[in-house]
Amino acid sequence: MQVGIALPLPVESTYSYAVPDAWQDLVQIGSMVLVPVRDRRMSGVVTRFEKKAEDPPFRIRPILEVLDAEPVMDQALLDLTRWIAQYYVCGWGEAIRAALPAGIQRREFSRIHLVDEAATLWDRLPDGLLAYFARHDNTATPRGLRMAGLRISRRDLLKAQRQGIVRIESKLEKPRVRPQFVKHVRFVPPFDTIASLKDLKLQLRGVRQRALLDVLIVCLASQETEPALKDVLARAQATSSSFSTLVHRGMVSVIEKERIRLPSWLTPLAAASSKPPDYHPAQQAALETLKAAVEAQSYRTFLLHGVTGSGKTEVYMAALQHALKRNRTGIILVPEISLTPQTVDRFRGRFGDQVAIMHSRMSRGERYDIWRQVRSGHYKIVVGTRSAILAPLDNIGLIVVDEEHDMSYKQQNPAPRYHGRDVAVVRAKMADAVCVLGSATPALESLANVQSGKYQLLSLPERVPIPGYGAAPLPRVWVVDMSREEYQGRRTANLSARLADGIRTRLANREQVILLQNRRGFAPVFQCRECGFVPECQDCSVSVTYHKAYGELRCHYCGLARLPITRCPLCNSDQFRKLGAGTQRIEEELARNFPSARILRLDTDSTRQSRAHFDILSAFGRGEADLLIGTQMVAKGLDFSRVSLVGVVNSDIGLRLPDFRSEERIFQLLMQVAGRAGRAELGGEVILQTRQPDHPAFDHLIRHDFDQFAAYLLKQRKALSYPPYGRVVGVVFKGPNEEATAELADKWLEILKCTLPASIQILGPQAASVVRVKNQYRYHMLLKSPQGFFQLQGLLRQATRQAGQPAEGYQVFIDVDSYGLL
Ligand code: ADP
Ligand code: ZN
Ligand code: ZN
């Protein structure tokens, strides 16, 4: 038998291998196997059975091992990953890897031993290699060498091995995740009743053994038929050796049971299930449409456009209920930072333990366990972040993408550089399922799909009505011109008089305030007062941010911390200016102006630990603080009923980024954070501070008018043929030497000029706005293709083949529908 296997390599095709007779019945489509690839071993997934060719052009090698015969994915997921590989121009095996939990694929691990220390034979020895070997007992790993900046190609290594200079030792890595088993006590007859255990106890003399029996009796009495051994020992204060004696005498036995690892923040399920509310008329209308679509069991995509607090989540849950009734399953995607305990509790509160949570912040073991449980059909619903769209869920009837405009749905690195929302639509189509994209500020791409009739629009134009009040009013929005405030001398550093007054009133009324400053740290610019020198990161071409709380300068690109320079390296002055404001500076300013206020800060610095984000938001939700200051993390997902004021310290951050999506993004962020104000009975107010009050965005924000602003942006996009009126593909080049990186980009330019038709515009190549990150130089270009040009991916493949492998250490990424470039 011969099979096609997808390997985690950036290649389009699958590889053919023979299956030894002994495994003919074992190997299935979707099985994971170990195969030889050139001189290495790799794990891959069986994608099809093949006919043996009469006389194959090359030798078909046999697979080496069956790692997991139970398919790691079914045909539907194979088809979906194949689509991803084709559309996003990457390897099928790479797309498959994105769908599998980290750590189940096996890799070969090699160690290089220096044999001939003189190494006179080897002419292409990189500088410093011998010294490295000398420091490391004459052995090295390829990774270790790379980390030390010693780049050496595999070909040269093999050559050195042939010449007897080095010996390469290859070992297969152990699987990095495996199920966890825990010992449990099992009662054996006749000692499986309370009476018999009591009897037994009278015959035992050891104090610990008697204590153990006491605990076992309590377990039986409370219906704990298989208590965990560890708990029993702890409760009896006994050691495992006293327990062993009982086992040896046949009084109890021990079994191993798998323990499913769950994240600590996943609170045990409350018994009571929440009930759906009485739907308000707009919800009802949306629901009827969705219900009919779910029952029709054929593909449709809906755009559910509703302001924050209009009841979209309730609509998702109701649609899900209908899908379950039809015996189908559902996936709910949420952006990274809105997967909070509150979101999780809402779904688990309604659907109980039918809900699996797949979060990128879970540990490797936790992700592995939940993935296997989903694969075995244990769950009906998956709630998760981007990669949950590739969950091994069967029989899908509904896919929801909440906050569908959110950038975090686009994977940047590594390949596949897929967009979770777009994959959701394709998966729904392949599964004859209904897809619901929800947002208060839909992506322009989705709006265009509504206009062209691909998606159907459902609207929830108002907030959920409050009993006795009617529809909750949208917050009042004020725009404060900061340059004018400055001129009139009314400004205390970063807070306008209006914002400071607003905070004061809320504090007096015991209401809460959220402040957005979309920049972390204390001061983004740290500058010598004498000569104007601004320190840069030593590995990146970007200035570092001053973090007062840690007394450090930090690079926001590579995350490296650097101690503040106490003296300017140019003029020796010790006087520095700290310009601009990050969240830490605003926090300090608030503390100074409102000494009695309780303040919490939410940004990636304050949430290093995986739970911190949840803890800060829950503390704020419980009213343990008055002010919450943070980056865009404060804009998402939570429903705080006591927040009556939202302030944006600097609305202009990001407006001038060299990215055609920057205006769309800022508008979405401001509208989203504004939606946090006044969700319940309290009226809400929003204060936007800016130096560009005439920017058209503000006019629309004041009127809560998303549609008009979107129309304005769409017009601009159309004029320039940017998405949604055309497609963009980024091509990114990276390498350790700037000149060579630029040359690589130029070589691609020549190739693309020949491969692509004239209708495709090529912008660049040019240096990225931060050209060096972690000592890697970055160049990029952007391809703009007209709508409906379906050959683009094929031509990009062709260009890739033509360009061949870049030199060791250099990389080329293709990023279809790229975000965050130019
Ligand atoms: P969105 O997802 O659009 O932000 P939610 O579904 O979270 O809106 O609804 C906002 C709040 O209103 C939630 O607390 C929710 O429980 C409540 N809610 C939603 N629909 C109704 C309804 N029909 N009646 C009463 N409360 C509702
Ligand atoms: Zn200086
Ligand atoms: Zn850096």
Side-chain angles (χ1 to χ4, degrees):
M1 184 166 69
Q2 184 176 315
V3 289
I5 290 176
L7 296 169
L9 297 171
V11 289
E12 191 182 0
S13 47
T14 57
Y15 289 70
S16 299
Y17 287 91
V19 180
D21 289 343
W23 293 333
Q24 301 268 343
D25 295 332
L26 202 59
V27 172
Q28 304 170 53
I29 301 285
S31 295
M32 198 159 68
V33 295
L34 189 73
V35 295
V37 182
R38 278 183 229 108
D39 59 329
R40 274 183 274 189
R41 289 169 288 178
M42 239 178 234
S43 55
V45 173
V46 176
T47 57
R48 60 179 172 156
F49 296 117
E50 294 176 343
K51 258 207 206 76
K52 261 189 211 151
E54 287 292 300
D55 57 321
F58 42 81
R59 194 164 65 89
I60 302 288
R61 299 162 80 183
I63 61 173
L64 300 171
E65 209 177 306
V66 180
L67 297 172
D68 194 347
E70 183 183 350
V72 293
M73 52 179 56
D74 61 8
Q75 190 61 50
L77 258 184
L78 281 172
D79 293 343
L80 183 68
T81 49
R82 164 141 225 182
W83 178 87
I84 290 175
Q86 274 165 355
Y87 185 85
Y88 293 102
V89 193
C90 68
W92 190 358
E94 290 179 303
I96 287 175
R97 181 177 56 197
L100 298 180
I104 68 167
Q105 281 176 312
R106 306 277 291 272
R107 284 186 314 196
E108 193 154 81
F109 171 85
S110 47
R111 182 167 280 284
I112 307 155
H113 302 274
L114 187 67
V115 182
D116 174 10
E117 279 174 60
T120 44
L121 293 165
W122 195 5
D123 46 359
R124 295 176 60 185
L125 212 58
D127 287 343
L129 186 66
L130 285 182
Y132 184 91
F133 274 118
R135 280 199 309 279
H136 294 87
D137 276 339
N138 284 341
T139 71
T141 60
R143 189 182 135 79
L145 290 177
R146 234 183 4 257
M147 301 288 279
L150 296 165
R151 293 178 185 281
I152 164 164
S153 72
R154 180 122 188 126
R155 230 178 73 213
D156 285 346
L157 260 184
L158 292 175
K159 188 172 151 204
Q161 174 160 266
R162 279 196 303 276
Q163 295 177 347
I165 302 164
V166 297
R167 183 169 56 81
I168 305 171
E169 175 197 20
S170 298
K171 259 199 236 140
L172 199 63
E173 229 175 42
K174 290 209 176 77
R176 280 160 298 158
V177 280
R178 47 179 70 189
Q180 195 181 62
F181 289 95
V182 177
K183 291 194 168 82
H184 286 254
V185 178
R186 174 168 282 173
F187 296 97
V188 288
F191 307 110
D192 54 354
T193 61
I194 295 177
S196 61
L197 285 177
K198 280 187 173 159
D199 240 21
L200 189 61
K201 186 183 159 193
L202 296 176
Q203 299 165 31
L204 291 173
R205 262 174 292 149
V207 183
R208 288 293 144 231
Q209 290 171 9
R210 293 167 66 110
L212 275 168
L213 278 186
D214 279 335
V215 172
L216 292 179
I217 289 166
V218 172
C219 288
L220 261 192
S222 57
Q223 312 284 329
E224 263 187 89
T225 52
E226 283 177 356
L229 177 58
K230 202 168 129 230
D231 296 343
V232 171
L233 294 182
R235 276 152 74 188
Q237 298 188 328
T239 60
S240 48
S241 71
S242 25
F243 191 82
S244 297
T245 319
L246 299 184
V247 175
H248 286 313
R249 292 164 78 178
M251 295 164 179
V252 287
S253 68
V254 174
I255 52 161
E256 296 236 320
K257 270 178 44 171
E258 188 183 348
R259 192 182 82 90
I260 300 295
R261 287 158 284 194
L262 288 173
S264 60
W265 45 264
L266 205 58
T267 45
L269 202 57
S273 265
S274 77
K275 297 247 170 342
D278 294 328
Y279 300 115
H280 59 77
Q283 265 175 331
Q284 194 69 48
L287 259 176
E288 290 303 327
T289 312
L290 287 180
K291 182 179 163 195
V294 167
E295 295 195 336
Q297 312 213 27
S298 59
Y299 163 74
R300 291 285 290 282
T301 292
F302 296 90
L303 176 63
L304 181 63
H305 182 190
V307 296
T308 313
S310 57
K312 294 187 293 297
T313 310
E314 286 296 341
V315 173
Y316 306 151
M317 293 198 286
L320 203 48
Q321 199 89 60
H322 287 297
L324 295 188
K325 243 191 245 158
R326 291 267 151 181
N327 264 324
R328 302 190 75 182
T329 60
I331 297 180
I332 314 288
L333 287 193
V334 296
E336 176 84 37
I337 49 185
S338 34
L339 190 52
T340 61
Q342 211 181 13
T343 323
V344 170
D345 287 352
R346 274 182 88 176
F347 281 92
R348 293 211 306 159
R350 187 72 47 84
F351 298 102
D353 48 20
Q354 305 178 78
V355 182
I357 309 296
M358 295 180 108
H359 193 303
S360 44
R361 282 209 176 184
M362 292 182 356
S363 76
R364 194 179 268 170
E366 288 161 2
R367 276 183 288 170
Y368 176 59
D369 286 357
I370 203 81
W371 175 84
R372 281 184 308 128
Q373 282 194 300
V374 171
R375 171 173 72 158
S376 66
H378 196 279
Y379 292 104
K380 295 255 178 303
I381 299 165
V382 170
V383 178
T385 48
R386 181 180 59 223
S387 64
I389 195 54
L390 300 172
L393 195 67
D394 203 11
N395 198 22
I396 296 175
L398 178 76
I399 300 179
V400 173
V401 184
D402 189 29
E403 314 272 13
E404 59 91 29
H405 64 278
D406 198 277
M407 284 251 307
S408 72
Y409 284 126
K410 178 75 160 87
Q411 169 141 323
Q412 305 285 358
N413 263 321
R417 297 179 178 81
Y418 66 102
H419 198 302
R421 173 198 60 217
D422 298 343
V423 172
V425 172
V426 173
R427 188 166 191 184
K429 196 177 217 161
M430 290 180 167
D432 288 325
V434 169
C435 186
V436 181
L437 312 177
S439 177
T441 52
L444 297 180
E445 283 84 350
S446 302
L447 292 173
N449 281 326
V450 168
Q451 284 171 6
S452 71
K454 272 197 193 164
Y455 301 169
Q456 185 182 336
L457 182 67
L458 302 171
S459 297
L460 300 180
E462 289 188 324
R463 287 180 166 188
V464 173
I466 307 160
Y469 288 83
L474 290 169
R476 172 122 203 222
V477 180
W478 306 93
V479 175
V480 176
D481 179 354
M482 289 306 271
S483 22
R484 209 161 134 182
E485 290 266 318
E486 201 161 275
Y487 175 71
Q488 297 177 341
R490 285 194 313 196
R491 200 164 80 116
T492 59
N494 291 295
L495 303 180
S496 62
R498 184 183 286 276
L499 185 52
D501 285 350
I503 295 174
R504 203 164 295 120
T505 319
R506 287 348 185 267
L507 290 175
N509 293 347
R510 310 217 147 271
E511 293 166 16
Q512 291 179 304
V513 179
I514 292 179
L515 290 172
L516 169 77
Q517 172 71 342
N518 203 9
R519 189 178 269 158
R520 63 199 176 86
F522 186 85
V525 180
F526 189 80
Q527 187 184 39
C528 171
R529 273 185 196 279
E530 298 296 323
C531 72
F533 171 76
V534 175
E536 285 197 348
C537 172
Q538 68 178 45
D539 295 334
C540 313
S541 56
V542 70
S543 60
V544 283
T545 296
Y546 177 56
H547 282 247
K548 191 171 179 182
Y550 315 102
E552 283 172 354
L553 293 171
R554 286 186 176 180
C555 171
H556 285 185
Y557 278 76
C558 68
L560 257 163
R562 293 271 174 268
L563 288 181
I565 28 178
T566 42
R567 295 224 166 251
C568 171
L570 296 188
C571 72
N572 211 30
S573 154
D574 62 356
Q575 296 296 308
F576 292 95
R577 248 186 234 122
K578 296 160 192 110
L579 301 172
T583 45
Q584 290 174 17
R585 176 169 246 165
I586 306 297
E587 182 186 18
E588 192 179 288
E589 203 172 313
L590 289 169
R592 200 163 350 102
N593 287 316
F594 309 102
S596 63
R598 298 162 303 165
I599 306 171
L600 283 173
R601 196 184 85 227
L602 185 71
D603 54 33
T604 44
D605 297 308
S606 69
T607 55
R608 279 282 137 82
Q609 277 112 16
S610 68
R611 273 196 61 108
H613 170 225
F614 303 151
D615 291 343
I616 292 171
L617 286 175
S618 341
F620 191 66
R622 287 191 303 267
E624 287 165 21
D626 310 299
L627 308 179
L628 176 69
I629 163 81
T631 53
Q632 56 184 344
M633 295 171 103
V634 301
K636 307 261 158 92
L638 277 197
D639 181 8
F640 301 119
S641 52
R642 298 215 56 81
V643 174
S644 58
L645 171 65
V646 165
V648 179
V649 178
N650 181 351
S651 313
D652 310 331
I653 292 174
L655 210 48
R656 268 190 297 254
L657 282 181
D659 173 4
F660 68 89
R661 285 193 179 86
S662 67
E663 271 186 305
E664 177 187 7
R665 237 150 67 192
I666 301 295
F667 190 81
Q668 286 164 338
L669 176 63
L670 294 180
M671 191 139 180
Q672 209 168 28
V673 73
R676 304 283 124 203
R679 290 193 77 172
E681 285 80 358
L682 303 171
E685 199 175 30
V686 178
I687 298 174
L688 307 175
Q689 304 190 143
T690 174
R691 288 174 176 280
Q692 306 176 46
D694 299 329
H695 193 283
F698 293 112
D699 212 32
H700 293 97
L701 283 164
I702 289 175
R703 289 183 280 115
H704 298 280
D705 186 355
F706 174 77
D707 294 345
Q708 288 286 319
F709 191 66
Y712 155 83
L713 290 178
L714 281 170
K715 211 189 271 171
Q716 284 184 353
R717 296 278 180 90
K718 193 165 207 165
L720 298 168
S721 324
Y722 271 118
Y725 302 103
R727 164 141 290 159
V728 293
V729 176
V731 188
V732 181
F733 309 89
K734 284 189 190 173
N737 174 289
E738 178 159 17
E739 215 172 306
T741 308
E743 271 168 25
L744 178 62
D746 285 337
K747 174 178 152 194
W748 267 76
L749 177 64
E750 291 313 313
I751 294 172
L752 288 175
K753 272 193 197 153
C754 300
T755 349
L756 300 178
S759 61
I760 300 204
Q761 243 190 79
I762 305 177
L763 307 180
Q766 67 180 60
S769 57
V770 176
V771 63
R772 187 168 50 106
V773 171
K774 291 190 198 170
N775 282 324
Q776 293 275 304
Y777 290 87
R778 309 181 308 167
Y779 274 68
H780 57 215
M781 55 189 164
L782 197 70
L783 313 179
K784 268 165 73 179
S785 110
Q787 240 170 342
F789 182 70
F790 299 112
Q791 297 91 323
L792 186 58
Q793 278 89 343
L795 294 175
L796 287 170
R797 289 264 186 213
Q798 194 184 319
T800 311
R801 276 193 297 271
Q802 214 172 322
Q805 278 280 326
E808 183 77 10
Y810 289 81
Q811 291 167 299
V812 181
F813 300 144
I814 291 178
D815 186 8
V816 175
D817 297 340
S818 106
Y819 272 60
L821 275 180
L822 292 173

